[in-house]
């Protein structure tokens, strides 16, 4: 029996661009889904820049073996969020992963086959930027388990939107359904006067979604409280319900649940 047999839905979080907030969206989506009573796993296949362990403040944990493979790292006592990342397998946190394609591909296959997730409502796969080795390996390894689809993350400016357009082409070529596009870092709301400043221009993600005929899941503004909770590994969804990013993140999760 496969280790993914108990996983109901698999989501990939993709972007053609680095630094747009894939890990942030993956983290907040997992926390939002947990608050809706779901059990969630995150598989971090960003082998060169694994940031998921840090965002949940479990970077010092180790992975243990069991009869059916690797036991994921649990974030809480209830085991409602479980994680697997190369970050847990490095001897020192500063170790670089200097690997060529075949070695990366082998580890991704192992992550897909050998992690004992148990029963999950959602498995979120956080990917590195781009459309190359890791992405092809991940999509191929997950294909037998029929992933629900992909969420594409972009920032509003044209350079980022252009790279995400290529990611849409990747999804078409690999037969991966696009669940929607998220525009992250979309404006900054001043905490004093509540005026919104569009630091990285505005509307690129929404325009791309319209143009490509895929759903637009929403804009997430730049929010110091969000950055702070990610830095400190805190639960933003629980602690900052009045912040400017909260309604956007909650709305994205609700659309995934629907």
């Amino acid at each position: 029996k496969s280790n993914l047999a108990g996983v109901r839905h698999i989501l990939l979080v993709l972007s053609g661009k680095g630094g747009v907030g894939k890990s942030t969206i993956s983290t907040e989506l997992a926390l939002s889904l947990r608050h809706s009573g779901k059990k969630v796993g995150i598989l971090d296949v960003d082998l060169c820049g694994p940031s998921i362990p840090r965002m949940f403040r479990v970077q010092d944990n180790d992975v243990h073996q069991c009869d059916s493979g690797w036991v994921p790292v649990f974030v809480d006592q209830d085991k409602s969020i479980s994680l697997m990342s190369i970050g847990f397998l490095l001897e020192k946190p500063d170790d670089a992963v200097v690997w060529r394609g075949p070695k990366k591909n082998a580890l991704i296959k192992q992550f897909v086959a050998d992690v004992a997730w148990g029963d999950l409502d959602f498995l979120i796969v956080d990917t590195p930027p781009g459309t190359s080795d890791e992405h092809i390996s991940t999509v191929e390894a997950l294909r037998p388990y029929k992933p629900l689809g992909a969420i594409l993350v972009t920032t509003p400016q044209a350079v980022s939107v252009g790279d995400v357009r290529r990611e849409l082409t990747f999804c078409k070529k690999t037969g991966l359904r696009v669940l929607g596009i998220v525009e992250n870092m979309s404006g900054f709301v001043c905490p004093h006067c509540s005026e919104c400043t569009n630091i990285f221009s505005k509307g690129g993600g929404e325009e791309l979604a319209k143009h490509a005929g895929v759903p637009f899941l929403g804009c997430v503004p730049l929010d110091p409280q969000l950055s702070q909770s990610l830095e400190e590994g805190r639960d933003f969804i629980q602690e900052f319900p009045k912040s400017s990013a909260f309604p956007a993140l909650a709305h994205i999760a609700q659309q995934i649940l629907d």
Side-chain angles (χ1 to χ4, degrees), residues 154-171:
T154 185
T155 47
Q157 65 272 54
V159 172
S160 174
V161 171
D163 287 348
V164 176
R165 196 173 273 128
R166 294 183 193 103
E167 198 72 44
L168 277 165
T169 314
F170 169 82
C171 291

Side-chain angles (χ1 to χ4, degrees), residues 10-255:
I10 299 172
L11 301 173
L12 287 91
V13 178
L14 302 170
S15 176
K17 194 85 184 142
V20 295
K22 288 179 293 300
S23 299
T24 298
I25 297 296
S26 299
T27 298
E28 299 311 326
L29 182 57
L31 291 168
S32 299
L33 291 168
R34 172 173 77 177
H35 284 287
S36 304
K38 304 296 180 193
K39 282 191 82 168
V40 190
I42 301 185
L43 174 57
D44 183 5
V45 294
D46 190 347
L47 303 182
C48 297
S51 37
I52 291 290
R54 169 80 197 261
M55 289 180 171
F56 284 95
R57 212 173 173 176
V58 288
Q59 65 268 42
D60 299 329
N61 291 38
D62 292 321
V63 169
H64 301 288
Q65 297 263 278
C66 67
D67 292 346
S68 46
W70 286 334
V71 182
V73 169
F74 296 103
V75 171
D76 52 4
Q77 293 295 305
D78 306 337
K79 301 190 173 180
S80 57
I81 296 184
S82 46
L83 314 174
M84 180 51 74
S85 167
I86 196 172
F88 300 128
L89 308 176
L90 301 175
E91 278 186 22
K92 295 199 287 294
D94 298 342
D95 286 353
V97 177
V98 189
W99 289 359
R100 288 187 186 274
K103 203 167 178 189
K104 286 181 180 176
N105 299 347
L107 182 65
I108 288 170
K109 280 186 187 137
Q110 200 173 353
F111 272 166
V112 169
D114 292 352
V115 180
W117 294 106
D119 291 331
L120 291 180
D121 294 299
F122 290 92
L123 176 62
I124 299 168
V125 183
D126 183 28
T127 64
T131 54
S132 59
D133 271 354
E134 288 99 320
H135 307 81
I136 299 164
S137 299
T138 304
V139 172
E140 288 304 317
L142 289 171
R143 198 181 295 287
Y145 308 101
K146 300 189 170 52
L148 187 62
I151 295 170
L152 270 50
V153 184
T154 185
T155 47
Q157 65 272 54
V159 172
S160 174
V161 171
D163 287 348
V164 176
R165 196 173 273 128
R166 294 183 193 103
E167 198 72 44
L168 277 165
T169 314
F170 169 82
C171 291
K172 271 202 192 90
K173 279 188 171 166
T174 54
L176 194 57
R177 175 184 165 206
V178 177
L179 299 173
I181 294 175
V182 172
E183 183 177 297
N184 193 23
M185 308 186 205
S186 181
F188 169 70
V189 180
C190 173
H192 306 294
C193 69
S194 301
E195 188 183 333
C196 182
T197 307
N198 296 315
I199 295 173
F200 299 121
S201 84
K202 185 166 171 55
E206 194 165 0
E207 212 172 293
L208 175 60
K210 235 186 235 141
H211 176 77
V214 298
F216 180 65
L217 298 177
C219 298
V220 181
L222 286 162
D223 186 336
Q225 289 175 320
L226 177 57
S227 313
Q228 184 193 344
S229 59
L230 288 161
E231 293 278 288
E232 295 170 8
R234 286 156 62 190
D235 185 343
F236 173 79
I237 300 295
Q238 193 175 347
E239 292 185 32
F240 298 107
K242 289 192 165 63
S243 76
S244 57
F246 177 85
L249 292 164
H251 181 57
I252 291 165
Q254 192 50 55
Q255 289 175 90

